[in-house]
Structures are given as C-alpha cells and as structure tokens.
Amino acid sequence: MSVVPRPAPAPDETAFRPPEGRRHMIIRRALTLAVILLLIGVPAGYLVVSAEQSRASGRDKAAESSSTGLRDAWPSQMKRRIFEVPIPRGSEKVSYYETSNWRTSRLFVQFSTTPTGLDEFLDAIGADRAALQPGVPAISAKDAATVGWNFIPGERAWTGLVHPRAEPRPSQHIVIDETLPLAPRVYVVSATTP
C-alpha cells in the first residue's frame, strides 16, 4: 500500500504579515485624522458660518422693523421692485420706511433728484409732468404724519399725483417739492395689498 502524501495546508496570510512599521503607522493615523476632520469639521464649520449669517440677518430685520421713522438709506432693490418705486440713479438724500400689517403694506420713500431724474421717475411709473397737480395733497395727512412729513399748502411749490393701479400692483401717492427747480424733492407712498 502506498501512502499518498497530503497536500500542505495553504499558509495563513495574516499569520505571516510583518509588523507595521512606525512610518506606515504614522501615515495611517494621519489619514484617519484627516478623514475625521473632513467628515466632522467641515459640516460643523458650515453650521457656525450659517448660524452667524442668520443671526446677523435677524438683527438687521429686527432693527428695521423696530425703527419708527425714515432710515437714511436706499431701500433694497427687492423692495423697490415690489412697491414699484424706481429711484433714479444719482438721487441724493434717499430715505425710506416700510410698514406692514395683515391688510396693507406701505413703503414711504423720499429723495432729491434732478429735473431729468424726475422725468425718468415719472416715466418709469407710467406718468409725466402733465399729470402733476399743483397744491394737491396727494399724500394723506395720516400717511405724512407716519414719517413726519408736513406738506403745508402755500409754503413750498408742491405738486402731486395719485397713481392708482389694479391689484395686485401697488398704488402710489406722490408729492413733489419743486421749490428748487434744479433739485426737486420727491415723496412717495406706495401701498400694496398682500
């Protein structure tokens, strides 16, 4: 009887793995640390930046809504678009104030411009100088009092117009002080129903 030799068992590859070198271990740990930082640090950083931006935006909105009078600044482009108040380029002494309730939102704007700027403004809202009525109190006393405007008849060269529009477009009440013909001062109350 012959004895058939048994095949040698396959060597266990893990049993013969040489020990990890110090350099290899440092590289592996550095890569692991980098991956952990990327997976945790980047989203955490994004959350911190996002929270700060949100907080700053909230502070700006709170300051704007708590103001009780005209702010010496241009209204945002979005407000100008919503309320359809196209302030001519180069206008000066621009101020605005916005009120809002469940029924009506109003944007109060005042600015000084040039005769050309006034024509551009009137053209942009769909009116012209022929529509201006001298001495007409186009802005109600209640609206004027909201922001401290005082349109005393005869004191200045007032002209004005009411520019009604079909909803949902805003209606505008406009008063212009043409006492200084080269620097007319425009007062606008634009009201829209949400």
Side-chain angles (χ1 to χ4, degrees):
M1 205 186 274
S2 75
V3 176
V4 180
R6 277 184 159 179
D12 186 5
E13 294 177 16
T14 59
F16 296 111
R17 183 181 293 170
E20 183 177 34
R22 179 159 174 76
R23 182 169 183 251
H24 187 266
M25 178 190 68
I26 291 171
I27 291 172
R28 182 177 51 78
R29 287 184 179 175
L31 285 173
T32 303
L33 181 62
V35 168
I36 289 171
L37 285 175
L38 287 174
L39 289 175
I40 295 172
V42 170
Y46 174 78
L47 286 174
V48 168
V49 169
S50 178
E52 183 54 37
Q53 288 174 342
S54 178
R55 190 175 307 130
S57 173
R59 281 192 296 259
D60 293 346
K61 287 180 183 172
E64 185 174 335
S65 64
S66 68
S67 70
T68 56
L70 292 164
R71 294 182 59 178
D72 292 333
W74 285 63
S76 69
Q77 203 167 21
M78 183 182 74
K79 285 185 199 291
R80 285 181 270 157
R81 195 174 309 125
I82 290 170
F83 288 96
E84 297 185 27
V85 179
I87 302 172
R89 211 174 294 154
S91 295
E92 297 178 344
K93 300 176 185 173
V94 180
S95 301
Y96 79 97
Y97 178 65
E98 183 181 4
T99 63
S100 213
N101 61 35
W102 64 275
R103 210 172 10 155
T104 306
S105 294
R106 285 183 175 81
L107 181 67
F108 298 78
V109 180
Q110 67 182 33
F111 58 90
S112 292
T113 188
T114 62
T116 304
L118 178 59
D119 290 335
E120 288 173 10
F121 168 75
L122 292 171
D123 185 53
I125 65 166
D128 58 19
R129 287 192 191 235
L132 296 173
Q133 300 292 316
V136 173
I139 295 176
S140 72
K142 180 183 175 188
D143 282 345
T146 302
V147 290
W149 292 336
N150 195 359
F151 306 118
I152 299 172
E155 186 176 284
R156 316 228 6 124
W158 303 113
T159 59
L161 72 98
V162 176
H163 193 246
R165 291 190 174 135
E167 289 185 6
R169 295 186 69 191
S171 295
Q172 292 146 338
H173 295 253
I174 301 164
V175 170
I176 301 168
D177 179 359
E178 296 189 77
T179 306
L180 300 173
L182 296 179
R185 186 96 173 125
V186 180
Y187 302 86
V188 182
V189 178
S190 183
T192 185
T193 304

